[in-house]
């Protein structure tokens, strides 16, 4: 009896282990690339079969400018500090509270974030903090003396009951969490440190931090932390308010001044800065500071660095005054009971099962998002037009887009604009009229006429829009610099979806101004129109800084892509409820400046599920139909290696459409193509026959998070650099990069990032993040740049150019409309085409056209009701047909799509690669009678190979190089365990069956 029981126990345990191993093997297979990279496991070997006569330097197609990591690492630190130095924004500085002069640097740090800084975001935005300084370290290095008593209290508090933490959201997916501020009670702080306050009372520096991450947005209401104000994570909590007011109560006795640091990528509601109960003298937005940014923050506080950052988003006094807040989140279609919605659900690996795909969100604000709303409604209020209502600009806005103070002052003069064709050359003299040296962010804005044609055809025109910007050099007191930029007239055109179906220039006056921020810009234009403070303006404008051009109506000049020559026409009717027949006549009232009070709504747009929408959703799961289109050639060997496709005999790059590519592609077999198109989890697969190496692509918004020894083809490994086990630099969060308003610095950042990619062995970067800061509650604000597509797009473009100059191809992500994390998988994102094109797609378009971005990663959401990875309008129509992107497209993490997306349909839409290592057998269904899919497979493979051959992955490879694929030791071990436990389970099961029959026949 005991033997039988023992057998059952052993059999049960063996079976359970075997089941776990099999499941683990499947999951590990889908993530093999990431696992191998993390373990440093070799997945292929490069064999040099040359005669040894080739100079290795000739095979470094993307050579590094550095001879060792000893040279590179300090340079990356210098650049990261410069980003923070030029990006941190001085928001307030009453009575010269900053900088802290020599002899006035004994300070007390308050707040749990003061001992636990926010360096980045969670998930892919995490930062290696092992070598990052604390506030204490950075401040003392800059000459401040930090109160040790209060510092030590907070260190113990964070290790104990208090301090920021995250609580997972049930069913929220990877990285989804609610952030808890959990500020320490003032009573404890006072008890621990009150006797030390006066000794370190030159300044009380209060640090407020918030953290975002992938998979969840910040909550504007109903946050589970009971200490939040109105359940709002971006308002000060109750204990934070008590802390600040209690410090203020000691101002003048213990403390000379109060300084607030916003250590967050998401803008905290800033209404308290002007509240006398809190006594704030100075405030600085420092974002997520990256690995070394705190050194720059300290230098700013003591005046060694003059801040020159300007806000990359609007800072709100009242977040609830932002009309976006009414439609930011997840809403369910009504009338679901009339449909078999269960068939629209899919079960995903690593994601909530039965993910609901009948959620939606409507961008009801249209183009009036961020400063486009606040400044336009303000102008109409001043002018008495558009039924603007009693709009109180100061109650809504704390600091406008583009705002930033300095320790000096700058004046503008001699503003001129000249026009030649579609280019406007704008020039202005910038003079430092203050007492210390500094840099200035010079911003150029345009205003389009808002005409009857626009009103009749539903075209909306923001009051001002940024059209170009530049950063001055550091100007000494009394020094001047003439800043000249070129403004493209295409940014004066507006998209007319309802009549012309393309971009049009309305007839009328177009104003151009140079300004210190967006609000300054609209005041300048109002002054030019004859308005003043008596009319309700918040400040007087400067009409001398405005010029205008009267243009006639034009619906042809910008109706054709200047890049591809293709006609530009409506592509996204199905994303607009008002233009899509699928919504059965339901309508959305978008905000219109023709009638503010009649169209601005703080109620959620309510929509019902219709048969048309249901049919479109259901169709996206179906296989493409069979056809009789001819298949391409397979396996016709011509002896060409991938490296042979890089340049011709004269050293010129071989174009994508060169006939030799057809000869080259004919060599690939069906199995090689299906393998290549199924192996895409942060890599592209190796192909031995053409000596294509496996590439590694890094996933991270602010730097390369893995050590320099991660990639076998990286210089760190190839030269066995002694510092190869160290990690590359993590830069400050991208809103701070944008806040530098410095395109030259962005290029330097990209170059530095690309240099690190060469040393670490990365040929591609899953980034940069080109989604838009639609709401400050966006969970991944740390990853994206701005609410403005010109600022964000041009900064991304320069970063992209720097990366790709080093052979690291960029995947802009997440294309498109991934402006929120909540239920991002499958949510129907609804927006009109004007807003889609002029804001959300432009953030991608500019980096492709100006920065040469090769690739994009599609998003999890739907663009309208079309899955982003399945949208041929977006991918082939817009990315390739209009913007001219010539690389390849990858999905977001592929297994999250589960049964709700068809692989064949992604290929036909132009989406080339899954972000996952999926079975090539998924494509076997197309091996016969699917010529269209097969032709698309060949084209997708060609795009991947064309991109890779022009990357740093080819460094060290010649026509004589051989690539041999290897099975990593961890996979061998896992398969061995599968076999051992499978055999053991089978043996024990057979033994038990034999015993059963013996007992039964006894």
């Amino acid at each position: 009896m005991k033997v039988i029981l023992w057998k059952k126990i052993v059999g049960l345990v063996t079976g359970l282990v075997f089941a776990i191993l099999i499941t683990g093997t499947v999951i590990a297979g889908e993530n093999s690339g990431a696992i191998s990279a993390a373990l440093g496991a070799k997945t292929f070997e490069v064999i040099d079969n040359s005669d040894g006569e080739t100079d290795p330097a000739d095979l470094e197609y993307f050579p590094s400018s550095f001879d060792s990591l000893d040279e590179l690492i300090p340079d990356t630190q210098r650049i990261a500090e410069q980003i923070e130095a030029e990006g941190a924004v001085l928001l307030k500085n009453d009575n010269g509270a900053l900088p802290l002069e020599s002899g006035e640097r004994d300070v007390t740090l308050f707040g749990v974030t003061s001992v636990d800084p926010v360096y980045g975001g969670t998930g892919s935005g995490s930062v290696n903090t092992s070598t990052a300084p604390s506030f204490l370290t950075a401040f003392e290095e800059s000459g401040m003396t930090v109160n040790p008593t209060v510092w030590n209290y907070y260190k113990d508090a964070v290790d104990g009951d208090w301090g920021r933490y995250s609580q997972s959201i049930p069913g929220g997916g990877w990285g989804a969490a609610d952030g808890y501020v959990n500020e320490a009670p003032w009573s404890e702080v006072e008890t621990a440190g009150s006797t030390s306050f006066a000794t370190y009372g030159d300044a009380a520096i209060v640090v407020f931090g918030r953290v975002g991450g992938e998979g969840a947005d910040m909550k504007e209401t109903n946050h589970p932390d009971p200490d939040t104000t109105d359940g709002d994570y971006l308002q000060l909590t109750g204990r934070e308010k008590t802390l600040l007011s209690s410090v203020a109560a000691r101002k003048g006795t213990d403390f000379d001044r109060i300084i607030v640091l916003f250590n967050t990528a998401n803008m905290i509601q800033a209404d308290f800065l002007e509240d006398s109960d809190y006594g704030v003298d100075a405030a600085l937005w420092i974002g997520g500071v990256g690995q070394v940014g705190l050194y720059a923050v300290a230098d700013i506080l003591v005046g060694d660095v003059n801040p020159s950052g300007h806000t990359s988003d609007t800072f709100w006094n009242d977040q609830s005054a932002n009309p976006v807040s009414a439609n930011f989140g997840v809403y369910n279609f009504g009338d679901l009971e009339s449909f078999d919605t269960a068939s629209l659900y899919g079960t995903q690996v690593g994601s909530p099962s039965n993910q609901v795909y009948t959620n939606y969100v409507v961008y009801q604000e249209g183009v009036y998002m961020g400063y486009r709303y606040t400044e336009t409604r303000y102008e109409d209020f001043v002018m008495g037009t558009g039924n603007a209502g009693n709009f109180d600009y100061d109650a809504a806005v704390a600091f406008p887009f583009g705002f930033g103070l300095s320790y000096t002052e700058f004046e503008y003069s001699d503003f001129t604009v000249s026009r030649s064709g579609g280019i406007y050359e704008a020039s202005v003299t910038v003079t430092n009229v203050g007492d210390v040296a500094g840099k200035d962010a010079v911003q150029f804005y345009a205003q389009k006429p808002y005409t009857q044609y626009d009103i009749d055809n539903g075209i909306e025109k923001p009051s001002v829009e940024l059209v170009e910007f530049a950063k001055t050099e550091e100007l000494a007191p009394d020094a001047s610099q003439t800043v000249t930029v070129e403004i493209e007239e295409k940014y004066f055109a507006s998209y007319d979806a309802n009549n012309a179906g393309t971009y049009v220039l309305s007839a009328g006056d177009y104003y151009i101004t140079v300004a210190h921020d967006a609000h300054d810009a609209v005041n300048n234009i109002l002054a030019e129109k004859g308005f003043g403070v008596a009319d309700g303006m918040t400040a007087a404008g400067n009409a001398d800084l405005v010029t205008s051009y009267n243009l006639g109506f034009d619906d042809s000049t910008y109706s054709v892509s200047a890049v591809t020559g293709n006609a530009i026409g409506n592509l996204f009717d199905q994303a607009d409820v008002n233009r899509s027949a699928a919504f059965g006549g339901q309508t959305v009232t978008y905000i219109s400046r023709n009638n503010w009070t009649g169209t601005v709504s703080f109620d959620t747009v309510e929509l019902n599920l219709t048969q048309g929408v249901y049919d479109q959703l259901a169709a996206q799961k179906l296989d493409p139909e069979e056809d009789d289109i001819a298949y391409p050639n397979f396996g016709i060997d011509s002896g060409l290696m991938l490296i042979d496709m890089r340049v011709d005999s004269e050293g010129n790059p071989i174009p994508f459409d060169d006939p030799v590519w057809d000869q080259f592609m004919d060599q690939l077999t069906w199995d090689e193509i299906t393998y290549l198109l199924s192996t895409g989890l942060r890599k592209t697969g190796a192909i031995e026959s053409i000596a294509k190496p496996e590439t590694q692509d890094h996933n991270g918004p602010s730097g390369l998070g893995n050590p320099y020894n991660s990639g076998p083809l990286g210089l760190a490994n190839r030269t066995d650099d002694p510092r190869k086990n160290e990690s590359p630099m993590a830069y400050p969060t991208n809103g701070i990069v944008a806040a530098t308003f410095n395109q030259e610095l962005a290029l330097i950042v990209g170059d530095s990032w690309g240099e690190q990619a060469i040393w670490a062995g990365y040929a591609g970067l899953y980034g940069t993040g080109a989604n838009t800061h639609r709401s400050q509650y966006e969970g991944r604000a740390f990853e994206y740049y701005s609410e403005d597509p010109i600022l964000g797009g041009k900064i991304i473009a320069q970063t992209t150019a720097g990366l790709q100059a080093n052979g690291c191809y960029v995947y802009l992500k997440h294309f498109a409309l991934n402006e929120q994390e909540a239920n991002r998988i499958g949510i129907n994102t609804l927006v009109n085409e004007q807003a889609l094109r002029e804001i959300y797609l432009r953030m991608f378009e500019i980096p492709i056209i100006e920065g040469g971005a090769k690739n994009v990663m599609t998003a999890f959401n739907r663009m309208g009701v079309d899955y982003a990875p399945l949208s041929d309008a977006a991918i082939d129509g817009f990315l390739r047909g209009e913007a001219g992107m010539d690389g390849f497209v990858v999905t977001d993490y592929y297994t999250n799509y589960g049964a709700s997306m068809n692989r064949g349909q992604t290929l036909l839409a132009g989406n080339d690669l899954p972000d996952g290592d999926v079975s090539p057998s998924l494509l076997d269904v197309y091996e016969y009678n699917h010529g269209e899919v097969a032709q698309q497979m060949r084209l997708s493979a060609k795009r991947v190979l064309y991109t890779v051959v022009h990357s740093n992955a080819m460094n060290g490879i010649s026509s004589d190089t051989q690539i041999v694929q290897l099975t990593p030791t961890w996979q061998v071990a896992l398969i061995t365990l599968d076999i051992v436990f499978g055999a053991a389970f089978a043996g024990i099961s057979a033994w038990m069956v034999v015993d059963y029959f013996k007992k039964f026949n006894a």
Side-chain angles (χ1 to χ4, degrees), residues 853-869:
K854 290 289 185 183
N855 304 340
V856 302
M857 171 189 281
T858 50
F860 281 135
N861 60 284
R862 288 184 164 91
M863 299 177 65
V865 294
D866 284 351
Y867 244 139

Side-chain angles (χ1 to χ4, degrees), residues 324 327-328 362-363 365 369 772-775 778 819 840:
V324 166
N327 289 279
F328 179 81
V362 180
Y363 290 18
E365 70 281 357
M369 183 271 294
T772 302
H773 287 169
R774 179 173 177 252
S775 168
E778 183 177 11
E819 274 72 50
Y840 303 102

Side-chain angles (χ1 to χ4, degrees), residues 672-694:
E672 286 173 332
I673 286 181
T674 56
Y675 171 75
L676 181 64
L677 298 183
S678 303
T679 309
L681 182 62
R682 300 174 195 171
K683 66 175 184 292
T684 65
I687 302 178
E688 293 182 1
S689 68
I690 56 172
K692 181 205 176 293
E694 179 180 289

Side-chain angles (χ1 to χ4, degrees), residues 362-374:
V362 180
Y363 290 18
Q364 186 263 343
E365 70 281 357
V367 298
Y368 299 114
M369 183 271 294
Y371 78 89
R372 285 167 164 77
Y373 167 70
T374 58

